[in-house]
Amino acid sequence: MKTLKPGEIAEYCDVHHRTVSRWIANGQLKGHKLPGRGNYRVQLDDFLAFLQKQKMPLPTELMGAVQPSTPKVMIIDDEPAFRAAIKRALYGLEYDITLANDGFQAGVKLMQLQPDLITLDLDMPGLNGFEVLTFIRQTPELAGLKVLVISGLSEDDLVKAKTLGADAVLPKPFENTALSALVTKMLAT
């Protein structure tokens, strides 16, 4: 895996190398210190992800290093039948799909997998969907995560989910074509 020095990143971003070191120290840019002198190094993939997250332009020299990645979708629902139905609706769209049975399991997987989009049920035991949504919107590492709430709760609850930060809502039961079109649209923006 190719790594970059803070000075190289600084040149790409047209900033001072100390700014890059601060990004790494603050956790904005994933990097590691070398043993001994403690100089930072950043993996190319982590730098490219940082640029995308910060909506910064990709340097032309690195255009060839970008490989199209498969969008990661996490389905969070406590009902196996609905998890399967959502997965079936997204079948064939070439997403990397992960399942979570409840809010607690989702919290662990969200930080590990960093999905691009989640579908979230609101009515779950333990940590419910409202709490998961609040956690996501309060966690800087998950700031760019798209959240599609799919719930059988009332219209008022769906509105509440939107005010808490859901990007879109879809009532249960849903049409497969509506779900797949909405997910495709959300991932394209």
Side-chain angles (χ1 to χ4, degrees):
M1 174 60 63
K2 179 169 173 46
T3 60
L4 301 169
K5 299 175 187 173
E8 294 170 318
I9 293 172
E11 282 185 42
Y12 287 134
C13 296
D14 195 24
V15 297
H16 196 274
H17 70 87
R18 286 190 189 120
T19 301
V20 176
S21 295
R22 275 194 298 274
W23 289 341
I24 296 169
N26 293 338
Q28 293 174 284
L29 175 59
K30 187 176 176 183
H32 60 275
K33 278 191 172 186
L34 295 176
R37 296 179 53 197
N39 296 334
Y40 285 117
R41 293 295 181 270
V42 175
Q43 290 185 354
L44 179 60
D45 288 348
D46 292 330
F47 176 55
L48 296 174
F50 169 79
L51 291 175
Q52 182 180 13
K53 188 174 186 176
Q54 299 299 322
K55 298 182 177 18
M56 295 172 76
L58 182 66
T60 51
E61 309 90 89
L62 297 178
M63 292 285 190
V66 177
Q67 298 171 355
S69 63
T70 303
K72 294 181 277 188
V73 175
M74 182 183 296
I75 300 168
I76 307 167
D77 199 310
D78 63 316
E79 296 181 46
F82 274 108
R83 282 195 310 271
I86 295 168
K87 186 175 181 179
R88 207 171 28 255
L90 301 178
Y91 181 78
L93 296 177
E94 298 187 23
Y95 299 137
D96 181 5
I97 296 177
T98 304
L99 305 176
N101 304 332
D102 57 41
F104 290 112
Q105 189 181 59
V108 172
K109 288 184 174 186
L110 283 170
M111 298 308 288
Q112 289 174 341
L113 302 174
Q114 298 279 315
D116 301 297
L117 179 142
I118 64 166
T119 65
L120 177 64
D121 183 24
L122 295 175
D123 188 22
M124 295 184 292
L127 200 61
N128 67 39
F130 295 111
E131 294 166 314
V132 172
L133 188 53
T134 301
F135 166 76
I136 289 168
R137 293 306 180 222
Q138 292 176 349
T139 305
E141 296 86 2
L142 301 173
L145 178 61
K146 304 280 187 194
V147 178
L148 169 58
V149 168
I150 303 176
S151 178
L153 294 182
S154 71
E155 185 66 33
D156 289 341
D157 288 321
L158 294 177
V159 170
K160 180 181 175 185
K162 289 277 285 187
T163 61
L164 288 174
D167 296 291
V169 295
L170 190 64
K172 287 180 182 176
F174 55 85
E175 293 288 328
N176 286 354
T177 54
L179 172 60
S180 61
L182 186 54
V183 168
T184 300
K185 179 182 174 185
M186 290 174 70
L187 287 171
T189 59

